Amino acid sequence: MSTIITVHNLDFKYAEDKPSVLSEVNMEIEENSIRAIDGLSGCGKTTLALA
Ligand SMILES: Nc1ncnc2c1ncn2[C@@H]1O[C@H](COP(=O)(O)OP(=O)(O)O)[C@@H](O)[C@H]1O
Ligand SMILES: [Mg+2]
C-alpha cells in the first residue's frame, strides 16, 4: 500500500504571539485506509484536518 499523505514535524499557531496549537506532528496515511483523529475538545483535531 502506498502513502498518500505525509506530515513531517508540523507546527502550527494561529498568531505569532500565540502558543502552538500543533507541535511536531508526524504521521503517514496509506491509500484506502480509514483513520480517525480523536482527542479532547480543543486539542487540535480540526486544525490538523484543515492543515
Ligand atoms: N480560527 C482560530 N483562531 C485562533 N485560535 C483557534 C482557531 N481555531 C481554533 N483555535 C484554537 O486552537 C486550539 C485547537 O482548536 P481545534 O483545532 O478547533 O480543536 P478541536 O477540533 O480538537 O476541538 C484551541 O485552543 C482553539 O481555541
Ligand atoms: Mg473540531
Side-chain angles (χ1 to χ4, degrees):
M1 217 182 272
S2 64
T3 300
I4 56 169
I5 296 175
T6 300
V7 178
H8 182 63
N9 289 346
L10 172 64
D11 286 272
F12 182 85
K13 54 177 70 170
Y14 281 96
E16 270 306 316
D17 59 345
K18 300 292 184 191
S20 293
V21 171
L22 302 174
S23 181
E24 296 183 33
V25 176
N26 291 281
M27 66 179 189
E28 290 186 349
I29 297 180
E30 309 294 329
E31 70 175 342
N32 298 319
S33 68
I34 296 174
R35 292 287 179 262
I37 304 171
D38 84 346
L40 296 175
S41 180
C43 75
K45 303 178 297 293
T46 294
T47 303
L48 176 61
L50 290 171

